[in-house]
Amino acid sequence: MAAAPFIVREAALDDPVDARAVVDLVDGYAREAMHGGRPLPGDVRRALVPGLAAHPTGFVLLAWQGDEPVGIAVCFRGFSTWSARPLLNLHDLAVVPSRRRAGIGRRLLAAVEERARALGCCRITLEVRGDNRVAQGLYRSVGFVGGAGAPGEALGGRPEQTFFWEKPLP
Ligand SMILES: CC(C)(COP(=O)(O)OP(=O)(O)OC[C@H]1O[C@@H](n2cnc3c(N)ncnc32)[C@H](O)[C@@H]1OP(=O)(O)O)[C@@H](O)C(=O)NCCC(=O)NCCS
């Protein structure tokens, strides 16, 4: 049987269902070994959505498969003094493990780019761990460029080392 189609839409942070999805998805991301391996502390769980809702330039995109939240992109608009244009920072991108490799991450990234272009942003920026080859492969395939460290470097002494990546938007 074919998998149910998924949709991507902006989270309504005042909606309890969306708010719960945001907390659960970020918590699931934080629990993964590569991203800390620990659940979000209770105070962070409680403060996360109110904090995002109060942020002047933040927004969250959610991917849904039926009534199941399956992916998230958390973004913040900044400003480039060198271009005198806004830029968009993609702070978090995650897809639930059971739904990976089905195009959801790529679709979330496309939605982020669509928003960035609509906002007149000069580029999208993000940080990615040197050993996160899967995410780097995805970013590279849609036009991001950035550092990746020497092969194995991040797996050696400094697994937490992150690299700056960006996609210019002419
Ligand atoms: C990175 C992540 C968001 C990708 O989401 P996804 O829905 O699985 O990605 P997609 O199915 O859209 O795949 C897009 C591309 O990513 C790359 N990719 C995804 N999974 C991969 C894997 N297991 N091995 C190699 N490349 C992979 C490929 O380039 C793939 O394109 P292709 O399927 O045409 O070959 C997901 O793996 C994830 O949530 N990882 C944990 C959180 C994380 O690391 N986030 C990024 C932090 S910077």
Side-chain angles (χ1 to χ4, degrees):
M1 196 172 66
F6 59 86
I7 60 146
V8 171
R9 62 167 174 76
E10 184 167 354
L13 296 172
D14 57 353
D15 177 319
V17 173
D18 282 16
R20 176 70 192 258
V22 169
V23 173
D24 287 350
L25 287 163
V26 176
D27 181 65
Y29 180 24
R31 286 171 189 259
E32 291 190 39
M34 183 183 274
H35 304 289
R38 281 190 295 275
L40 295 180
D43 58 336
V44 175
R45 287 183 67 93
R46 285 188 291 279
L48 177 57
V49 170
L52 285 168
H55 193 282
T57 72
F59 64 90
V60 180
L61 301 177
L62 291 173
W64 293 85
Q65 208 156 21
D67 57 7
E68 185 190 355
V70 293
I72 187 167
V74 180
C75 303
F76 299 95
R77 183 166 43 83
F79 189 79
S80 164
T81 50
W82 286 9
S83 302
R85 283 169 59 191
L87 57 77
L88 199 70
N89 177 249
L90 173 56
H91 193 272
D92 306 289
L93 178 74
V95 171
V96 296
S98 62
R99 297 292 195 279
R100 286 184 189 160
R101 212 67 206 258
I104 297 172
R106 194 182 288 286
R107 177 71 189 88
L108 277 164
L109 264 187
V112 168
E113 181 171 335
E114 200 176 294
R115 283 291 293 264
R117 288 184 186 278
L119 290 165
C121 292
C122 60
R123 61 182 185 270
I124 305 170
T125 63
L126 57 84
E127 285 174 32
V128 59
R129 279 177 53 136
D131 57 349
N132 194 347
R133 303 294 178 191
V134 168
Q136 289 172 16
L138 169 56
Y139 298 142
R140 194 175 294 108
S141 76
V142 297
F144 281 80
V145 291
E153 176 186 9
L155 288 170
R158 300 182 58 200
E160 77 290 358
Q161 187 176 11
T162 59
F163 293 86
F164 181 82
W165 284 54
E166 66 176 9
K167 177 171 182 174
L169 300 176

